[in-house]
């Protein structure tokens, strides 16, 4: 959307509209889980373009839209860049410990698979 | 598969073959999550037919296959009934706390939505 002032807004679910099913679906994709792990490790918002996922631009856009529409990330424009941050507070309020549990599981799996070579 | 003795075996991933992506994908479906919550609450194995999901028989079979192939449940035949049990030990060894975290999130969401009427 572009209004007359040139600002654009992106649709996000309110906290109360976030559903576990959608959050799990969003995190069940390895590429999206990778994005979420990076966002979790980062102190600051990250531009979509900073991730350089090994997929096309339109697929990258799709993945970020799924993350936004599920309530996992909040996106806003800064100039032409779409910036992303994890909705940690919202997820923690709804599902205490869930995000950290999934991040820990992802880290455990990565370590295990690396050890197996 | 049916061998000459009439016993049938079902393919399961070994513990080391279970992937977080597949587990999250399996649990991201409301019907499958419902099955897993019932299995978690049960002390004994449950037949597929005992769930009476509001879907066709072939869809029910599909959901249980996804749960089995992702490593979330173990299935075996008892006569003509396909019995199911959660692979709690395997999941806990790979992803400590993950299953309980997701079950807690599902319970929290159910309470919240019920309270909202």
């Amino acid at each position: 959307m572009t209004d007359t002032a040139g600002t654009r807004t992106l649709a996000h679910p309110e906290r109360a509209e976030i559903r576990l099913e959608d959050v799990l679906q969003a995190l069940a994709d390895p590429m999206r889980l990778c994005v979420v792990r990076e966002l979790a490790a980062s102190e600051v918002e990250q531009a979509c373009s900073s991730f350089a996922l090994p997929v096309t631009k339109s697929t990258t856009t799709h993945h970020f839209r799924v993350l936004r529409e599920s309530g996992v990330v909040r996106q806003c424009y800064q100039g032409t860049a779409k910036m992303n941050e994890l909705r940690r507070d919202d997820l923690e309020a709804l599902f205490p410990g869930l995000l950290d549990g999934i991040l820990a599981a992802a880290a455990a799996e990565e370590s295990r698979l690396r050890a197996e070579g």
Side-chain angles (χ1 to χ4, degrees), chain A:
Chain A
M1 274 177 286
T2 306
D3 69 17
T4 51
T7 59
R8 289 163 294 178
T9 55
L10 293 155
H12 292 82
E14 297 290 326
R15 178 185 290 187
E17 293 168 339
I18 295 173
R19 291 293 173 271
L20 177 61
E21 167 187 356
D22 300 326
V23 171
L24 293 178
Q25 190 71 57
L27 299 178
D29 178 90
M31 206 78 75
R32 293 195 293 264
L33 185 54
C34 178
V35 166
V36 168
R37 294 180 69 193
E38 279 198 45
L39 287 174
S42 167
E43 298 284 307
V44 295
E45 295 181 349
Q46 304 268 344
C48 292
S49 59
S50 73
F51 288 90
L53 303 178
V55 292
T56 63
K57 191 166 179 301
S58 75
T59 301
T60 298
T61 301
H62 164 75
H63 284 316
F64 278 98
R65 190 175 62 241
V66 171
L67 289 170
R68 171 169 52 80
E69 292 180 348
S70 63
V72 174
V73 308
R74 188 171 293 285
Q75 292 191 302
C76 66
Y77 280 102
Q78 284 185 10
T80 56
K82 222 184 265 175
M83 304 301 291
N84 298 273
E85 65 174 341
L86 265 188
R87 294 179 65 175
R88 266 196 177 282
D89 291 354
D90 289 326
L91 295 173
E92 194 59 25
L94 294 169
F95 313 118
L98 180 72
L99 181 64
D100 284 333
I102 292 174
L103 291 171
E109 179 163 279
E110 188 178 61
S111 300
R112 183 167 60 86
L113 296 180
R114 192 177 288 153
E116 287 171 4

